Amino acid sequence: MDLKTMAEAEYDKCMEDLVDSDQHYQSLPKIVSELVSTCHGGHCHDHISPVPLPSRQAMVKIIDLCREVLFPGYFGDAPIDQVNLEYYLGQRMTRLYRLISNQISHAVRHDCFRYEKHCLECERLGREAGLRFLKSLPGLRTTLAKDIMAAFEGDPASGSVDEIIFSYPGQYAMTVYRLAHILRKMAIPILPRMMTEYAHSHTGIDIHPGAEIGESFFIDHGTGVVIGESTNIGHRVRIYQGVTLGALSLPPGSGRSMRNLKRHPTIEDDVIIYSGATILGGETVIGARSVIGGNVWLTESVPADTKVFLKTPELVYKGGAEPRGPEEES
Amino acid sequence: MDLKTMAEAEYDKCMEDLVDSDQHYQSLPKIVSELVSTCHGGHCHDHISPVPLPSRQAMVKIIDLCREVLFPGYFGDAPIDQVNLEYYLGQRMTRLYRLISNQISHAVRHDCFRYEKHCLECERLGREAGLRFLKSLPGLRTTLAKDIMAAFEGDPASGSVDEIIFSYPGQYAMTVYRLAHILRKMAIPILPRMMTEYAHSHTGIDIHPGAEIGESFFIDHGTGVVIGESTNIGHRVRIYQGVTLGALSLPPGSGRSMRNLKRHPTIEDDVIIYSGATILGGETVIGARSVIGGNVWLTESVPADTKVFLKTPELVYKGGAEPRGPEEES
Amino acid sequence: MDLKTMAEAEYDKCMEDLVDSDQHYQSLPKIVSELVSTCHGGHCHDHISPVPLPSRQAMVKIIDLCREVLFPGYFGDAPIDQVNLEYYLGQRMTRLYRLISNQISHAVRHDCFRYEKHCLECERLGREAGLRFLKSLPGLRTTLAKDIMAAFEGDPASGSVDEIIFSYPGQYAMTVYRLAHILRKMAIPILPRMMTEYAHSHTGIDIHPGAEIGESFFIDHGTGVVIGESTNIGHRVRIYQGVTLGALSLPPGSGRSMRNLKRHPTIEDDVIIYSGATILGGETVIGARSVIGGNVWLTESVPADTKVFLKTPELVYKGGAEPRGPEEES
C-alpha cells in the first residue's frame, strides 16, 4: 500500500464517518469530483505539477530578512551590539541566501516549464542570482539612507529618523521596490512583482518593479500612488498621495502589443508633484525643478523650472442652508 | 469551588502579587471595575452572551481555504499532482464545510438573538447554506478564469497569468467579492461584509457584497475603488484606481430610510472607466461600450457608445521659477 | 570561552560547512564584512546599542488587547458572560499594563539616548504613563460608541452595529487614532505614530495622532483619507474616501522650521466633506454645518451654513464611437 493509497483510504474513511453523522456530507464527494473535473478542461487555473511555484510565504520572509539586514537593530527580535553584530548579520545573510536562491530557482524553472524554453540549470542560476542580490545589499543601505533623509527634510510632521524607519509607508514601499528592482534587472520572473504588490497591499503605494527611480526619493502619505512599469524618475523627486504616473489609454485588445514599450512618463531631477496629480504617456517629460500642482492632469511635456497648477476652479457657494428638519439625528 | 471561583481566585492572587511589586498595580482593580460598570449602562458596545458571534479568524481561514480550492497548487503548502489532487481537494473541502457551516450558524443565530426573531434551527440552516456555498465553487472557477483573462488582455504590464493569480490586488478583491456575494444572495448576515472589508484592507478596493458584477471584470491597480451596495455592472467592464460607483448625497438623518433602495449606478457591457472617475446615483446608467475619462464626475446617464472626457482643464504655467535659496537641502 | 566567542565559533563552523557544499557561500563572509563596515561610517541607519527600541510586534499586541477590552466579546478567543466578565477584563488589563508600560519606557529612553537629554527614570515614567493610559479606557468606550452610532446613522448600507464594529475600516482607524492620541497628549515619542501608521496600512486612512477630532466622527469607505498633524475637527463631522485635510506647499528646505506650527485646517461642528475634496492650510476654517462637495479644492475659509460645490465641469461627449476592429479580444 503506497502513500497515495493510504491517503485515499484515510480520505474515504473520513468521508464515511462524516456521512453517518450529517446527511449533507453525502454531497461532498460529488462536489469534489466536479472540482477535479474542472481541472481537466483547461479553462480554469491550477498548477498540478511536481515543479514548485514561487511561494508567497517565502517571499514575505525574504522581505523581512532583508529589512533586518538593511536596518540592523530595528526589526529583529534581539538587541545588537558591536560584539554580536557580525554574527547577527552573518546568520541572517546565510538564511537569506538559501531562501532567495531557492525562490529564484522556482521562478526561473517556472518560466522554463510554462514556455518550453530550455533550462537545465535552474539551481545554479538561483544560486548565482541569489549571490548577486546579496552583493547589492551593502550599497543599498546608502541609497535607503538618502531616501530616509529626504523624508526627514521634506515632512514637517516627522518626529525622528527612527519614526520614519519604523512607520512611514513610503519608506516601506521604497525599500521593497528597490529590492524587487534588483531582481527585475536580473530578469527574474514573477518574484519582483509579488514583492511590490505585497508592499502595495500594506501601503496603498503601487510601484512596478520595472520603474527606474533615482536617489533621495520621498513619497508622503502615499495611499493611491501608482508608478508604472516604464516610468523614469530622477534624483531628489518628491510626490504625494494619489499621484499617478501612468500610461495613456489603450485601444481594446492592444494590451499585449504594448508590452515592452515606453508607456509611462519621465520625471527629471528635483521635481515636486502634489497630491492627486495624474501624468500620463511615454513621451511626457516633466523638466527638472518643475512643480506640478494638486489634481493637475497632464499628458504633455513641461519644460524645466515650470510651475503647473489648475486654474482656480469655479466654486459654487450657497449660503444660508435650508434649516434642517426634525429627522436630523444629531 | 467551581471554575468561576477558581478563575477569580487566580486573578485575585495575581493582583496581590503585582501590588506588592509595583504600587501602580493597586489602581488596576479600580479601573477594571469601572470598565465592568460601562458594560451595564447600555451605552457602550459589548457582547456579553453565551451566543457566539462570527469570528474574524475563522472568516480569514475560510477565504484562504477557498483560494486553495479555487486555484489548486498556487496557495497551498504542498505540491499537487494528478495522483493526490482528489485527496487534496477533498480534505480542504471537508474543512471548509465545517468552518463555513459553523460561521453561517453563528451569523444567523446572531440575528435571531439581536432582533428577537424565532429561529430554532441555526445549525441546520448553517449546514444547508454551507453546502450550497460549496456547490457553487466549481462554477466559480470558470468565472474567475474569465476575470483573470480580462486582466491578462487588459494590462500590458502583466508578465504571466500566474503573476496575476499570485499578486494582482484586483484579482484578490474579485475572488473575495464573488465568494461573499454568494453568501449575500443567501441572505447570510454580517459574514459577507466582513469578507469584503478584509479584502478592502488588503487591496484598497471596497466592493460591497450586494453589488452585481458580470463576467470578465478587470480592476487595474485598484487603490481607492469604491463599488456601492446596489451597483449593477455588466460583462467585460474595466475600471481603474480611484473609481467610485457611489450614492448621491443624503439629507441628514435619512440614512436608515434609504436602505434597500437602488442608490448606486448601472454600468452596461464593455464600458471602460478611467482612474479617479466618480459616477453617482441609482438612476444613472452608463450605456454599453461607453468610455468614461479620468476624473470625470457624473450624476446623469450616458447613452451607449459615448466617450465622456473632462474638457481639457485650463492649466496655469509659470516659467523661470525663483532661484532657490541657500536653505535648500538638496 | 564567553557567549560571544561561542556564537562566533558557531557562525564560523556554519560558514565552513556551507563553503564545502556550495562554492557561492565562499562569498558570503566578504559581503557580511562589507555590511558590517557600512555600520561604522555613520551614513547608514542602524541601532547597534543595548538600549531597546519600541517593538512593532508589541505595539500590534497592545492595539489588539485594547480592542478586546474596549469591545468585550467581539475580538477575544473566548465567549464572555456576566460571571467571567471581570476576570476577562482584569486578565487583559494586567497584560496590557505590562506591555504598554514597557513600550513607553523604551520610547522615552530612546529619546534620552538619542538627544542626550537627562533621564534616569524611564521605567517609572513608563509605569505612570501606562497607568494613565489605562485609566482613560472606560471613558473611551463611550466616545467610541458615539462614533459607531454616527456610522450606523450615516451609512444606509450598514446592516447592524456589529457589522460596523467587526468590519468598518473607519471604525478601526478611529479606535487606533483615539488610543494613539492619548499617548501623544502625554508626549510619548514614536509609539503614537507607529500605531496610526499600522492602522493606515490596514485601512488606507492616514490620521496623524496629533490631530484633534471631536465626538461622533464618521469616515465612510475611507481609502485615501489624510488628516494632518495640526488639524482640528469638531463634533458630528462626516467625511468620505479620498478627503485630504492637509498643509499648503512648503518652500524647499523649510520642513524643519514648520514643525509645531498650525499647518492644517479647522473643521467646525456638523460639517460634511464629500469624496476627493482637499482642504489645505492652517488658517483655513470650514464653518459649522457647511457641506463641501466632492473633489472641491479649498485653501480659503468658508463661513458657517455654506454649501460649496465644483461648478459643473464641462464634459466633452463624443457619440458613435469608432467601430472596433478585429483585434478586440472580447
Side-chain angles (χ1 to χ4, degrees), chain B residues 22 38 110 200 256 259, chain C residues 83 97 141 153 158 162 223:
Chain B
D22 174 359
T38 63
H110 168 269
H200 181 192
R256 293 202 220 189
R259 287 175 210 277
Chain C
V83 176
Y97 173 68
R141 293 196 72 215
E153 298 289 336
S158 60
D162 293 338
T223 312

Side-chain angles (χ1 to χ4, degrees), chain A residues 143-159:
Chain A
T143 308
L144 291 173
K146 289 181 186 169
D147 289 337
I148 290 163
M149 279 317 295
F152 189 63
E153 299 289 336
D155 178 14
S158 60

Side-chain angles (χ1 to χ4, degrees), chain B residues 131-152:
Chain B
L131 195 67
R132 280 170 64 196
F133 178 80
L134 262 60
K135 276 180 180 161
S136 67
L137 296 182
L140 190 54
R141 294 197 72 215
T142 313
T143 308
L144 292 173
K146 289 181 186 170
D147 290 335
I148 290 163
M149 279 318 294
F152 189 63

Side-chain angles (χ1 to χ4, degrees), chain C residues 96-112:
Chain C
L96 186 54
Y97 173 68
R98 290 188 195 183
L99 268 173
I100 189 96
S101 302
N102 212 11
Q103 290 303 308
I104 293 174
S105 293
H106 293 183
V108 171
R109 188 186 290 147
H110 168 269
D111 261 21
C112 303

